[in-house]
Amino acid sequence: MTRVLMVCLGNICRSPLAEGILKSKVDSKEVEVDSAGTASYHIGKGPDPRSIATASRYNIDITDQRARQFTVEDFDKFDYIFAMDKSNYQNIIALTRDASDKAKVALMLDILEHPQVKEVPDPYYGGDQGFEHVFQLLDQATDLVVKRLNLK
């Protein structure tokens, strides 16, 4: 079983979308997908209603997800850890214990060949169009995650 973790700041906007999108593209018997936040603001809360609505437009249900905080133990549980932006990437890297931990961490959009955008923007303070933009970025990136990591 391959285990993939998506990480953003609060675990209510970007990483729940990334988790839901990737789950919709892989076999749950082969690939486990989860998400977390580097901050503790929203622990136990469901995804932002705008993330839920955006995912729902693509027949992806993320309503059962609950926010949790990233922990050092996640390095032991997951094979790949994708950070949505540089700030969260640095927060994760600060918790690494060794080179093996560090090797598991990447910026989500680094997988794109020629990304127009280097980081998945936080849509929290924006309108619905920001959530749609984030969905499209994550949809493209997760296609490549599936392909490059040989996930099905």
Side-chain angles (χ1 to χ4, degrees):
M1 166 99 39
T2 303
R3 292 176 173 85
V4 181
L5 183 64
M6 304 296 190
V7 183
C8 68
L9 181 62
N11 193 211
I12 61 165
C13 295
R14 296 171 288 176
S15 56
L17 277 173
E19 175 186 344
I21 294 167
L22 185 57
K23 277 182 174 176
S24 75
K25 297 177 181 187
V26 298
D27 181 344
S28 63
K29 295 179 192 119
E30 305 279 328
V31 182
E32 178 186 327
V33 185
D34 194 9
S35 62
T38 58
S40 62
Y41 311 134
H42 304 290
I43 292 174
K45 295 180 183 171
D48 185 290
R50 297 166 294 178
S51 285
I52 292 171
T54 302
S56 181
R57 281 196 295 277
Y58 296 92
N59 297 312
I60 297 171
D61 182 5
I62 62 171
T63 57
D64 64 339
Q65 293 182 28
R66 292 295 170 263
R68 70 176 188 83
Q69 190 169 14
F70 182 86
T71 67
V72 172
E73 291 76 28
D74 286 323
F75 293 115
D76 300 324
K77 295 176 191 171
F78 294 93
D79 304 298
Y80 301 98
I81 300 169
F82 291 101
M84 298 298 124
D85 60 38
K86 291 176 185 171
S87 175
N88 287 294
Y89 175 86
Q90 290 302 327
N91 290 338
I92 297 165
I93 292 297
L95 297 174
T96 59
R97 301 162 295 190
D98 55 33
S100 174
D101 286 355
K102 190 172 183 180
K104 294 180 179 189
V105 185
L107 272 172
M108 185 75 224
L109 297 185
D110 277 356
I111 200 159
L112 300 176
E113 296 262 333
H114 303 289
Q116 302 288 359
V117 180
K118 302 285 186 194
E119 301 175 286
V120 179
D122 189 344
Y124 186 78
Y125 292 106
D128 292 341
Q129 71 281 0
F131 285 82
E132 179 63 30
H133 177 65
V134 164
F135 185 95
Q136 295 304 322
L137 288 172
L138 293 171
D139 190 41
Q140 286 180 335
T142 54
D143 279 347
L144 288 171
V145 167
V146 169
K147 183 179 176 183
R148 295 233 178 104
L149 301 182
N150 236 359
L151 306 176
K152 291 292 173 199

